[in-house]
């Protein structure tokens, strides 16, 4: 079984408030209400902010990412995202 199948054994890859970039095209698979199935929800390179962290099937983290330019909040897996800015110990943004 691939190593990301049980990622709940580790801490989440991202924290609430992290600025992240989409690494792959994200289309509506039927779970995003109000949009056609197959509609592009986020393009490669789009930037958003982690709004909350949930789980899927008690195996993996799902990051609710708020994309300000569209207003969409989309559930993403860690492998679909990369960190744009990290926070230092005082909570200030730093470049990765």
């Amino acid at each position: 079984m691939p190593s990301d199948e049980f990622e709940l054994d580790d801490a989440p890859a991202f924290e609430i408030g992290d600025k992240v970039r989409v690494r792959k095209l994200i289309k509506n698979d039927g779970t995003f209400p109000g949009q056609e199935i197959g509609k592009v929800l986020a393009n490669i390179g789009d930037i958003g902010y982690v709004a909350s962290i949930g789980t899927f099937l008690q195996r993996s983290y799902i990051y609710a990412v708020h994309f300000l330019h569209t207003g969409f909040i989309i559930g993403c897996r860690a492998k679909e995202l990369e960190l744009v800015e990290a926070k230092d110990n005082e909570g200030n943004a730093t470049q990765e």
Side-chain angles (χ1 to χ4, degrees), residues 24 40 42 57 82 88 92:
K24 63 179 269 186
V40 173
L57 298 176
E82 63 186 4
D88 62 18
N92 300 314

Side-chain angles (χ1 to χ4, degrees), residues 15-40:
E15 297 179 10
I16 293 173
D18 280 352
K19 186 176 184 180
V20 293
R21 179 181 299 114
V22 176
R23 297 177 60 191
K24 63 179 269 186
L25 185 70
I26 299 176
K27 294 182 180 183
N28 185 12
D29 60 2
T31 59
F32 194 91
Q35 299 295 323
E36 295 285 328
I37 293 175
K39 177 176 172 43
V40 173

